[in-house]
Amino acid sequence: MSSFVVALDVGGTSMKGGLVSESGVVLLTERRPTPREEGPDAAVKAIREFISHLAASGDGIPSGVGLAVPGLVSENSAVYSANIGWRDVPAADFTALDVPVRLGHDVQTGGLAENVLGAGQGVDDFLFLPIGTGIAGALILRGEPYGGSAGWGGEIGHIPVFPDGEQCACGQFGCLETYASAASVGRRYSQRAGLSGVKAEEVVASDDPLAVEVWDEAVEALSLALATYTLLLDPSMIVLGGGLAEAGPALFDPVRTRLVKRLAFRDAPPLVPAALGVDAGMLGASLLGWRAAGRPDLGPGWTVNVRSAPLVS
Ligand SMILES: [Zn+2]
């Protein structure tokens, strides 16, 4: 009987689950919707059922369960998620199985995976910045994600970069996320051009002066936030991920140039692309599952290949 953990990455719209063996083999992966419109209790129930279902697909009883969830999180409790609506859900409520469970903040868990298995391997201090619908950051300090005193640490998307700027959905003004998330880039260009539903990747690739302007403001906002982070925490590197990082040199080159220009007395840290893509959260959750099972040593040295794992529906 091989040992494995159940790993689950719970997003606002979908959940990605998997079984991961002791040697890092992703035995299977599966995706399900997150029923958040039905309320927090339904979401917890759906997670519990999904975990039981995944566990039943494995050979024997799982050694542990790891979950990456949004919002404020502690190891043992999902404290609060505006997105899903839950408050103070104990880790044990997420599974009907009598096995150890550990929770992690979704982005921090992705950062943990990038640290142990991805772009940040062997690097103790870096920033993992996924840029998608929103922008959140995982501060990896001395080899571990750092959430601060209450768990709010890493909300880089809500750093005010333009003090007199547009109001953000969070209530503040001029937040990085309002200018530089993929959703914001698409929205800001659409508004300016009198169009609707233009995607960020179309804006990045366009030579329409309005698109150039919107993209330039996004790059400016990012370089300001990254300069601040660099001066505050002196990271070895900055790992950019999420949908917008797929833009490649169109993102990396101008942000790098402007970051270098902003920093006068010190070098800019290298900007590197994330390695694990959308699998980072699930892989990080598997590391949490193994930690819950008393195996914090597992992870380093794994060669993960999620795409070769069978997808069960
Ligand atoms: Zn904000």
Side-chain angles (χ1 to χ4, degrees):
M1 192 164 69
S2 65
S3 54
F4 64 93
V5 292
V6 178
L8 197 61
D9 180 15
V10 180
T13 54
S14 73
M15 311 187 271
K16 179 165 192 182
L19 298 183
V20 180
S21 82
E22 214 170 341
S23 53
V25 177
V26 181
L27 303 164
L28 64 86
T29 61
E30 187 175 334
R31 209 174 253 289
R32 283 189 181 183
T34 310
R36 68 171 166 150
E37 316 75 38
E38 294 160 38
D41 294 343
V44 173
K45 184 164 172 262
I47 291 169
R48 206 159 43 220
E49 285 169 3
F50 194 11
I51 290 173
S52 293
H53 165 79
L54 288 164
S57 314
D59 177 13
I61 297 161
S63 303
V65 173
L67 286 111
V69 299
L72 270 180
V73 187
S74 75
E75 264 181 31
N76 306 311
S77 169
V79 179
Y80 173 67
S81 165
N83 205 340
I84 301 183
W86 61 42
R87 272 182 194 278
D88 299 315
V89 184
D93 283 15
F94 287 108
T95 174
L97 307 171
D98 188 20
V99 298
V101 188
R102 191 170 293 192
L103 299 175
H105 175 271
D106 50 0
V107 178
Q108 285 174 24
T109 303
L112 173 69
E114 287 289 346
N115 187 200
V116 176
L117 308 165
Q121 270 183 69
V123 180
D124 274 350
D125 290 271
F126 69 95
L127 168 66
F128 171 52
L129 192 74
I131 310 174
T133 310
I135 298 182
L139 291 55
I140 307 295
L141 304 180
R142 299 189 173 169
E144 283 296 321
Y146 180 74
S149 60
W152 291 112
E155 290 292 350
I156 292 166
H158 300 285
I159 286 184
V161 284
F162 301 132
D164 301 317
E166 293 174 21
Q167 188 165 23
C168 177
C170 77
Q172 296 178 172
F173 288 87
C175 293
L176 170 65
E177 183 171 296
T178 311
Y179 292 86
S181 72
S184 295
V185 168
R187 172 185 53 79
R188 298 184 79 241
Y189 172 72
S190 298
Q191 279 169 355
R192 231 170 267 194
L195 301 165
S196 70
V198 181
K199 296 238 179 327
E201 50 268 36
E202 300 170 67
V203 178
V204 176
S206 169
D207 55 5
D208 173 352
L210 289 175
V212 172
E213 198 176 273
V214 164
W215 183 235
D216 185 73
E217 285 163 7
V219 167
E220 180 71 6
L222 272 170
S223 69
L224 274 163
L226 295 182
T228 302
Y229 187 92
T230 299
L231 291 163
L232 199 60
L233 289 165
D234 186 29
S236 306
M237 60 166 69
I238 293 170
V239 177
L240 299 180
L244 206 61
E246 315 263 303
L251 170 72
F252 284 79
D253 292 352
V255 173
R256 188 181 290 118
T257 303
R258 225 167 294 183
L259 177 58
V260 167
K261 233 182 244 175
R262 284 210 173 271
L263 298 168
F265 56 82
R266 56 153 299 154
D267 289 338
L271 299 185
V272 303
L276 304 172
V278 295
D279 300 323
M282 192 275 289
L283 290 168
S286 79
L287 297 172
L288 296 180
W290 281 116
R291 288 177 177 195
R295 297 297 308 274
D297 56 308
L298 296 182
W302 286 357
T303 312
V304 289
N305 191 349
V306 179
R307 276 162 197 91
S308 72
L311 200 69
V312 181
S313 58

